[in-house]
Amino acid sequence: MTGNTAAADATTFRKGNGRTDRAPYDLGTVLDIAVATFNERGYEATSISVLAERLGTSKSALYYHVSGKEELLQRALDRALGELEAVLEASGADDRRGNAADRLEFVLRGAVRVLVAELPYVTLLLRVRGNTDIERDALRRRREFDHRVSQLVEAAHAEGSLRADLDPGTTSRLLFGMINSIVEWYRPGGPMDADALADATVSVALDGLRAR
Amino acid sequence: MTGNTAAADATTFRKGNGRTDRAPYDLGTVLDIAVATFNERGYEATSISVLAERLGTSKSALYYHVSGKEELLQRALDRALGELEAVLEASGADDRRGNAADRLEFVLRGAVRVLVAELPYVTLLLRVRGNTDIERDALRRRREFDHRVSQLVEAAHAEGSLRADLDPGTTSRLLFGMINSIVEWYRPGGPMDADALADATVSVALDGLRAR
């Protein structure tokens, strides 16, 4: 088997099993590289061969981790959606107790933090257009998330916490537009960390820019 | 020449010259179809043949109007940018008199109206990634527009019209994010016209959602 890099890599990994942090790459690394490549080239234009090349490994070593690029896409979208859905769950958005405006503020702040923490994953999610079953399923979950945030905007509207002169549907869309734009221009490592960005975003959304 | 559709179409059009409104299609129609097709398929994937087919005409008839798809892209981007730049000019953004917050409000409202009136054209502009000289030139003009709006945000900040606790750079980006998102979800012909949408957007940006 000498000289067969593919087999050598896979063997190395198998040997390292049980202590995956020491392996030359693990599923997390594979996923990070896959997501970066999907975002750069587009999912359709990215093959398992390209990913193997980027990782400096072989296709067969990659197949040790995943069944194919479809699984990588599914895992990546699931990670972004799972984090966003967890924010909604944590907000107690499903029960009807408590102040809807406070829950909305919690969700907006949490969504900004997820965008920053999972920037490439959410970027991928926001570019999904529904060309495959995996993408259509992700779009369905994304619409469900948007719908639940919209319901929160409506509830805050109904309880009188939000201005009565603004339509909740338009308000929700403008809010998502502002928050989702963060993936286009925010780069981690600058002067503004995730918490400061979340504060600024929520503050603009709820209180506006005008000095009083 | 009988049976040569290309030549027949071109001849028909030449006969109609001088009364272009009566022609089966004019440059405006060609541009509308080109922009719609670029947005659907991507600019790279769209050929002059595809455009001719969509218009039910021939390539040679199209070349009567334009030198190629590059010219169509340039004209389309120039239209979107020209309309946006006209809003800045009309705001008096270049002179230093008057209230910067009022000028900013004028520009935001005007930009929303342009987005709605030129929806497919601005959509195309916002998708430009800089693969050709034409696209790079459009990106440069777009950055210049963004820069001048940011200067307006800074001036409004400096005069005390905008809240002192928000960073003008972040504020500008969140504003653009909210406004640019309109091309993703707004569809003309619904219950909300351009003026109502402009009012809602400016109102959310400047005064926030919270009831007082």
Side-chain angles (χ1 to χ4, degrees), chain B residues 51-72:
Chain B
L51 295 178
E53 200 177 304
R54 286 246 174 152
L55 282 154
T57 185
S58 64
K59 287 208 285 184
S60 57
L62 268 183
Y63 285 124
Y64 180 83
H65 290 289
V66 287
S67 58
K69 72 169 187 167
E70 295 77 12
E71 186 183 336
L72 287 166

Side-chain angles (χ1 to χ4, degrees), chain B residues 62-167:
Chain B
L62 268 183
Y63 285 124
Y64 180 83
H65 290 289
V66 287
S67 58
K69 72 169 187 167
E70 295 77 12
E71 186 183 336
L72 287 166
L73 180 66
Q74 181 146 38
R75 283 178 181 273
L77 296 175
D78 186 58
R79 175 159 148 182
L81 285 161
E83 294 283 336
L84 289 169
E85 288 160 356
V87 170
L88 262 180
E89 296 306 323
S91 78
D94 279 337
D95 66 39
R96 292 284 170 271
R97 292 162 300 175
N99 182 277
D102 289 346
R103 295 209 307 265
L104 177 63
E105 187 171 336
F106 179 93
V107 169
L108 297 180
R109 205 177 291 274
V112 174
R113 284 206 198 93
V114 169
L115 255 69
V116 169
E118 306 288 346
L119 203 60
Y121 288 79
V122 179
T123 302
L124 184 67
L125 174 65
L126 292 177
R127 290 184 186 170
V128 157
R129 287 292 171 265
N131 297 326
T132 63
D133 281 346
I134 293 168
E135 290 173 82
R136 279 187 286 274
D137 189 56
L139 278 183
R140 189 192 52 67
R141 279 172 74 182
R142 196 185 144 194
R143 274 195 300 269
E144 174 64 21
F145 177 83
D146 288 0
H147 177 65
R148 287 172 69 192
V149 179
S150 300
Q151 285 180 320
L152 218 40
V153 171
E154 277 171 35
H157 204 259
E159 78 187 9
S161 306
L162 299 190
R163 287 165 52 193
D165 61 326
L166 292 170
D167 163 60

